[in-house]
Amino acid sequence: MKQYLLPEGGNFYKVNMHSHSTLSDGKQTPEELKEAYKAAGYSAVAFTEHELMYDLSYLSDDDFIAITSFEYDVCDNEKPPFAFYDEAPHCFDHKQCVHLNLYAKAPHENAMICYNPKYLWPVQKDQEDKVKYIGEPDFKRVFTIESINEVIREAHMQGMLVVYNHPTWSLNTWDIYTKLEGLDGLEIANGASDIASDLDYTPYVYDQMARAGHRMICVAGDDNHNTAHFFKAWTMIKAESLTYENLFEGLKKGNCYASQGPEIFELYTETTEDNKRFVSIKTSPAAGIFMTTAGRRKGFKLAGDNGLISEARFEIKSEDYYFRISVRDASGKHANTRIYYLDELN
């Protein structure tokens, strides 16, 4: 009997989970972003402006959803995260940061949390009615694990989903990201940062956090600030139909995968009559398909002399604890499933 890990029914919707418009430091207006991404086959864009969460639901229509969201950040102004920090210049490029994308559970729930007025991006005059605040502006934004975890807790109290962004660009180390509590997801691929550095495709961070006890999904987004960043990384969400609520629920349930190019069409497990369990995946043409577990045991299938492959089947063993699948296409781009734990399986 098959257990579909990505729902058998419904449709996949292509979503840019991380973007910036002229409402913060992007070069394109929200309207221009909608036009460009919709023309490229995207069904939704999360407008993750710096420090301000706008209700841009007027952009939504039958074929496009504007996701209400914002990007929170805090930097370590004391010292760089280097062993030689006394010799390092004290400039922004050497400051360690943590950036979080916060996604509202409904389009009109755009109240800011854990804000401090001196950190807020200026609100454009014609957009003032699309931003609101809750609580008192007395939150002390400091670069400590306790402060960052307070933001995550408050976001969850408001029903938001919280994703941890671009750990390599942020100069983060194990000692930071394994102590973040309650994250809903990791941005496993950041388009803008990765094209500049070839470093912000970070499956190793996902694995390290999982081995440290964190259960969460993985997503991908462009982090676009200009057209050079467009269409580099995205998240495919499986849902019954294209509504804000369905996309949010698909993310919350983990009915999604992250991609820089390859497609995943089917993902399911099945148990044979001799009680062996397997996971099967069907994909777009690939140079390799790989299974990672909590330990050293791996599985892989590579393209051979007969050309690219488009499916693979791996045995799951009781000691694996969890597994995830990655797909690499002929150009070196990846798609990643989330991590699936054995206690989720029937």
Side-chain angles (χ1 to χ4, degrees):
M1 182 176 178
K2 293 181 180 179
Q3 179 182 354
Y4 281 86
L5 304 180
L6 291 168
E8 184 179 12
N11 303 293
F12 280 113
Y13 297 103
K14 191 174 184 179
V15 182
N16 178 12
M17 295 293 294
H18 191 166
S19 73
H20 298 281
S21 74
T22 52
L23 295 178
S24 58
D25 59 347
K27 299 299 185 184
Q28 285 72 41
T29 66
E31 291 78 9
E32 289 169 335
L33 289 180
K34 173 188 173 177
E35 181 180 1
Y37 277 86
K38 189 173 177 180
Y42 284 72
S43 298
V45 169
F47 291 88
T48 52
E49 308 298 352
H50 293 287
E51 308 304 336
L52 288 171
M53 185 157 59
Y54 288 88
D55 178 357
L56 299 178
S57 56
Y58 67 91
L59 293 174
S60 296
D61 56 37
D62 290 342
D63 301 310
F64 183 85
I65 300 295
I67 299 176
T68 302
S69 50
F70 79 102
E71 186 171 22
Y72 169 96
D73 71 81
V74 60
C75 292
D76 186 353
N77 294 313
E78 297 300 318
K79 58 181 177 62
F82 314 134
F84 53 87
Y85 67 85
D86 285 334
E87 303 170 22
H90 285 233
C91 62
F92 175 77
D93 282 346
H94 285 184
K95 289 180 180 180
Q96 184 172 200
C97 306
V98 167
H99 284 216
L100 305 173
N101 274 347
L102 281 65
Y103 305 96
K105 65 180 178 181
H108 304 302
E109 296 192 14
N110 63 323
M112 295 296 301
I113 62 147
C114 295
Y115 70 95
N116 186 318
K118 75 174 184 176
Y119 289 95
L120 293 181
W121 201 269
V123 181
Q124 293 187 10
K125 289 295 183 183
D126 62 346
Q127 299 289 340
E128 287 179 342
D129 62 330
K130 298 180 177 66
V131 178
K132 59 186 176 182
Y133 311 97
I134 58 174
E136 296 297 323
D138 58 0
F139 175 73
K140 187 175 183 181
R141 188 179 299 216
V142 292
F143 191 85
T144 65
I145 294 297
E146 293 77 12
S147 177
I148 298 166
N149 285 340
E150 182 178 347
V151 175
I152 299 171
R153 286 192 298 271
E154 180 61 33
H156 284 161
M157 289 178 64
Q158 301 301 323
M160 299 176 181
L161 296 179
V162 183
V163 167
Y164 169 46
N165 295 340
H166 47 58
T168 299
W169 181 92
S170 296
L171 304 180
N172 294 156
T173 59
W174 160 277
D175 195 48
I176 293 293
Y177 54 69
T178 58
K179 293 178 182 176
L180 301 178
E181 298 175 354
L183 290 167
D184 297 292
L186 167 72
E187 186 181 66
I188 199 170
N190 178 289
S193 180
D194 196 50
I195 61 171
S197 67
D198 198 33
L199 292 174
D200 253 310
Y201 168 59
T202 55
Y204 68 93
V205 174
Y206 194 34
D207 289 332
Q208 288 174 354
M209 294 184 76
R211 289 171 183 143
H214 299 273
R215 292 196 181 200
M216 57 187 177
I217 66 172
C218 63
V219 304
D222 278 339
D223 194 5
N224 52 280
H225 292 74
N226 55 63
T227 57
H229 303 154
F230 283 11
F231 321 136
K232 305 302 181 186
W234 55 88
T235 303
M236 299 297 290
I237 303 175
K238 195 78 176 286
E240 285 296 322
S241 61
L242 183 61
T243 67
Y244 193 108
E245 294 73 20
N246 285 347
L247 292 181
F248 188 88
E249 190 68 13
L251 281 172
K252 190 173 182 179
K253 289 182 175 179
N255 296 333
C256 56
Y257 68 89
S259 183
Q260 300 168 306
E263 294 180 90
I264 298 174
F265 303 124
E266 283 190 349
L267 182 68
Y268 58 87
T269 62
E270 54 188 339
T271 303
T272 61
E273 291 182 357
D274 55 356
N275 287 322
K276 288 186 177 181
R277 180 177 280 162
F278 295 86
V279 59
S280 295
I281 188 169
K282 295 183 180 180
T283 71
S284 56
I289 302 174
F290 308 86
M291 181 183 72
T292 299
T293 72
R296 288 193 180 90
R297 202 181 77 81
K298 305 290 189 290
F300 68 94
K301 183 178 179 181
L302 301 177
D305 295 336
N306 295 326
L308 300 177
I309 57 175
S310 59
E311 60 183 4
R313 186 172 186 251
F314 304 111
E315 185 176 359
I316 305 165
K317 296 190 174 182
S318 58
E319 63 267 25
D320 290 337
Y321 189 68
Y322 68 68
F323 64 89
R324 65 177 181 86
I325 309 292
S326 58
V327 183
R328 186 182 71 222
D329 67 15
S331 65
K333 299 299 183 182
H334 292 85
N336 286 269
T337 73
R338 71 168 173 93
I339 287 174
Y340 294 92
Y341 291 83
L342 268 58
D343 61 17
E344 297 180 67
L345 305 182
N346 295 335

